[in-house]
Amino acid sequence: MNPVIQYVAGGLSAGALYGLMALGLVLIYRASEVVNFGHGDLAMISTFVAYTLLQARWPLPAALLGAILFGAFLGALVEGGLLRPARHRRATPLTLVVLTLGLALVLNGLAGFLWGHEIRTFPALVSGPPLIVGPARVTREQLLNLAAGVLLALALYGFLRWTWSGLALRAVTQNPDMARLMGIPVDRILLLAWAIGVGLGAVAGILAAPLIYLEPNAMLELLIKGFAAAVLGGMTSLPGAVVGGLTLGVLENLIAGYVATELKTPFAFAMIVAVLAVRPAGLLGRPIHRRV
Amino acid sequence: MHPLLEVSHATASYGPILALRGISLEVREGEVVALLGANGAGKTTTLRLIAGMLPPLTGSLLFKGQPIHTLPPEQRVALGIVLVPEGRGIFPELTVKENLLLGAWRHRDRRQAQRDLEEVFDRFPILRERQAQRAGTLSGGEQQMLAIGRALMARPRLLLLDEPSLGLAPLVVRHIFEILRAIHEAGTTMLIAEQNAHLALVLAHRAYILQNGEIRLHGDAQALRENPEVKALYLGRSSERR
Ligand SMILES: Nc1ncnc2c1ncn2[C@@H]1O[C@H](COP(=O)(O)OP(=O)(O)OP(=O)(O)O)[C@@H](O)[C@H]1O
Ligand SMILES: [Mg+2]
């Protein structure tokens, strides 16, 4: 097997998870102008819920679905229960961002209290020998992650493109006042954006969990990589988020393979810094211009 | 019979600035009513008040006899109050067709939306040609047509138009007013804010003239056209302004 191809295949699979994380971040950012620093911890809590349901012997699909729906519900709760009241009291976008940061810390502490800080193993979601796909040998896990990333990205595209709610969501991201004048209940659409965004984060967390260990800080790396992917894609572009995730996954895997494994995470940070400095609009993004 | 819309003694402000100082007006079913006045007179504020984008400080708003001043804008749209705002408010990143479909949010019925879409395309053939284009690429006149077409997709009971002539070439303005006349003849009640009093008084049955947030004059369009004060203040220059 050609090692480059192996690195790329592994990178694409990790990148799909970064892409899912980034999709949620971008969707939420575009809809509500809030960079959600709670995204990683919301994913972490959802993953713990999946873990707990599996411990309680729920069948795997039911446990995963339950945890993802729980994540979506949490997302809606954050928007409806915290951000909306703050917004109605004229909180600035910066205040709201700080609010999500506070939420991240609260959730993190809460997870430590509920589940403890010991390291747990999350069961593998698929098992079996690696498969040969074209020139690459890939594990079933890698294939699952890539497939989940691609399918969910396509599903999101279809939702935004072909449903009334999706169309309304795109209208709200462009001009919320005008959306209201079309009769669109903007508050409810924001709930939806948060539910979908955090739901996608929950999926990324659950898929990542078998590859890492589960503990309250387990999703920090995923969050950082998700941010890097989102920034790389322009922060406002959904296709950019996916492309950014895959690009980051492949590049960091090549760096880990050819330079040093320890440089993987610093590389993601360096990427955020470099992109913001050189091309703030990212690969596919364009500056958002909204009226107040 | 209640008038379709009845605004009584409404005041509104932006912070400390009192923009409307107690205005009263009514629009009856089937009418075209014009709201005239110079820059800053309060036309946009009045329409925003009716559409629900701005709460009244005092006074009342009745639609078909029911108070609406506590309803948010989206619920007023549900009642059939639809605003074509100043500056048109199209969604530039969405396609022309998607913009039009958003107008149908009020009922969200695909079949009805398809039928209404055909009707709008018949009224504005240029929009049919450009339906797959991003709306931001349209010219000003085309965007105004899109904004009007989108409002029609909602099947409005009361169509509010904020300066549909603003920033458009005289020929385009004429075309748009012809279409507004046709829309009215098809049965739509309208309240049109305009600086261009010439145009508006030809289309409207009645008009209100706003000055500094107060109704200065009101009456039949015909009578206002011949009123010496109106002539001097609002019809003095020809129709091309700004
Ligand atoms: N967002 C705002 N903040 C503060 N003051 C405002 C705002 N919008 C309008 N005003 C003020 O309210 C008054 C009425 O403005 P309005 O926009 O309703 O006038 P208009 O008749 O629509 O004028 P134009 O012909 O220029 O559109 C003006 O004095 C204006 O300066
Ligand atoms: Mg105005």
Side-chain angles (χ1 to χ4, degrees):
Chain A
M1 293 285 152
N2 182 340
V4 178
I5 290 176
Q6 289 310 120
Y7 291 139
V8 170
L12 286 176
S13 133
L17 302 188
Y18 307 158
L20 281 179
M21 211 59 188
L23 270 181
L25 285 165
V26 169
L27 190 70
I28 286 171
Y29 177 61
R30 289 214 53 178
S32 60
E33 291 186 297
V34 173
V35 176
N36 178 22
F37 280 101
H39 214 64
D41 288 286
L42 287 162
M44 176 269 295
I45 296 269
S46 310
T47 308
F48 263 116
V49 168
Y51 175 84
T52 304
L53 293 179
L54 286 172
Q55 291 288 300
R57 307 214 165 273
W58 282 40
L60 185 70
L64 299 192
L65 193 65
I68 293 162
L69 290 178
F70 179 80
F73 171 76
L74 269 187
L77 196 65
V78 171
E79 158 59 25
L82 291 175
L83 301 180
R84 183 191 297 170
R87 217 180 280 119
H88 286 183
R89 294 193 187 95
R90 296 170 185 279
T92 62
L94 182 62
T95 312
L96 299 182
V97 171
V98 174
L99 213 156
T100 69
L101 198 56
L103 175 76
L105 298 173
V106 170
L107 290 177
N108 198 280
L110 200 63
F113 170 74
L114 288 175
W115 286 285
H117 283 274
E118 67 269 29
I119 283 170
R120 297 161 193 261
T121 356
F122 195 92
L125 301 176
V126 282
S127 54
L131 302 168
I132 307 296
V133 180
R137 177 207 296 272
V138 294
T139 67
R140 289 170 190 242
E141 216 144 40
Q142 288 174 334
L143 217 53
L144 171 72
N145 294 352
L146 188 56
V150 170
L151 289 179
L152 284 174
L154 289 176
L156 181 63
Y157 175 83
F159 164 76
L160 292 172
R161 189 91 165 63
W162 290 302
T163 68
W164 286 110
S165 301
L167 183 58
L169 205 164
R170 285 192 290 152
V172 169
T173 63
Q174 280 182 46
N175 189 339
D177 277 349
M178 202 51 231
R180 299 189 84 190
L181 285 173
M182 296 282 93
I184 295 167
V186 172
D187 280 351
R188 260 194 277 157
I189 295 293
L190 290 184
L191 285 185
L192 187 66
W194 274 80
I196 295 173
V198 175
L200 290 171
V203 173
I206 290 169
L207 291 174
L211 309 172
I212 53 181
Y213 292 105
L214 187 54
E215 48 95 18
N217 294 319
M219 297 297 162
L220 187 60
E221 189 180 331
L222 190 62
L223 176 70
I224 292 166
K225 304 273 170 83
F227 268 127
V231 167
L232 193 59
M235 204 62 210
T236 57
S237 160
L238 294 169
V242 176
V243 172
L246 295 175
T247 308
L248 177 65
V250 170
L251 287 181
E252 68 162 21
N253 226 25
L254 289 172
I255 288 193
Y258 288 108
V259 189
T261 316
E262 292 73 24
L263 288 180
K264 230 172 142 173
T265 302
F267 173 74
F269 282 117
M271 189 100 117
I272 298 183
V273 173
V275 170
L276 287 178
V278 177
R279 192 176 152 77
L283 293 179
L284 300 182
R286 36 183 147 193
I288 41 170
H289 36 79
R290 286 210 206 201
R291 53 327 67 203
V292 255
Chain B
M1 247 323 249
H2 294 289
L4 187 60
L5 173 77
E6 199 173 356
V7 179
S8 311
H9 311 291
T11 58
S13 71
Y14 297 98
I17 305 165
L18 199 57
L20 296 180
R21 303 157 187 271
I23 61 159
S24 299
L25 62 85
E26 61 176 55
V27 180
R28 296 177 214 124
E29 194 94 49
E31 265 190 327
V32 176
V33 175
L35 195 58
L36 307 177
N39 254 319
K43 304 181 294 295
T44 298
T45 309
T46 305
L47 294 187
R48 285 171 58 83
L49 185 82
I50 298 168
M53 298 302 283
L54 187 79
L57 288 179
T58 59
S60 75
L61 286 168
L62 300 179
F63 188 71
K64 293 194 222 161
Q66 302 297 316
I68 56 166
H69 66 270
T70 56
L71 298 182
E74 55 270 25
Q75 287 181 32
R76 299 194 200 188
V77 173
L79 292 175
I81 303 175
V82 180
L83 172 66
V84 178
E86 195 170 49
R88 300 152 203 144
I90 61 151
F91 299 99
E93 304 286 322
L94 301 184
T95 65
V96 167
K97 186 175 171 187
E98 286 168 339
N99 267 274
L100 290 170
L101 285 176
L102 279 167
W105 175 271
R106 187 182 163 206
H107 53 75
R108 269 162 290 164
D109 177 332
R110 292 236 172 238
R111 285 197 178 177
Q112 189 174 321
Q114 198 53 48
R115 278 199 302 274
D116 290 353
L117 205 55
E118 287 306 317
E119 213 170 285
V120 169
F121 284 156
D122 289 343
R123 259 189 222 293
F124 303 102
I126 189 76
L127 297 183
R128 174 175 289 146
E129 273 171 48
R130 305 221 189 285
Q131 58 177 302
Q133 248 169 267
R134 276 185 42 230
T137 63
L138 299 186
S139 72
E142 290 161 356
Q143 290 191 10
Q144 187 64 61
M145 294 180 203
L146 177 58
I148 295 171
R150 185 179 58 180
L152 291 179
M153 294 289 294
R155 302 200 163 187
R157 295 292 309 270
L158 172 63
L159 181 59
L160 308 170
L161 294 132
D162 197 350
E163 300 210 44
S165 74
L166 190 63
L168 302 181
L171 216 64
V172 181
V173 171
R174 262 221 341 249
H175 179 53
I176 285 184
F177 270 75
E178 275 162 23
I179 288 166
L180 290 178
R181 177 183 299 280
I183 291 169
H184 166 249
E185 278 163 6
T188 305
T189 308
M190 298 189 221
L191 176 60
I192 306 183
E194 258 303 338
Q195 275 202 51
N196 190 328
H198 267 295
L199 271 173
L201 286 177
V202 172
L203 180 62
H205 303 110
R206 293 188 304 114
Y208 293 84
I209 296 181
L210 272 171
Q211 197 175 47
N212 282 326
E214 281 172 314
I215 304 243
R216 175 70 190 266
L217 280 170
H218 70 100
D220 283 349
Q222 179 70 36
L224 286 173
R225 269 205 303 268
E226 282 149 21
N227 179 313
E229 190 182 350
V230 175
K231 271 186 175 161
L233 283 172
Y234 302 99
L235 301 174
R237 279 161 288 155
S238 75
S239 58
E240 329 45 356
R241 303 203 179 181
R242 295 202 215 170

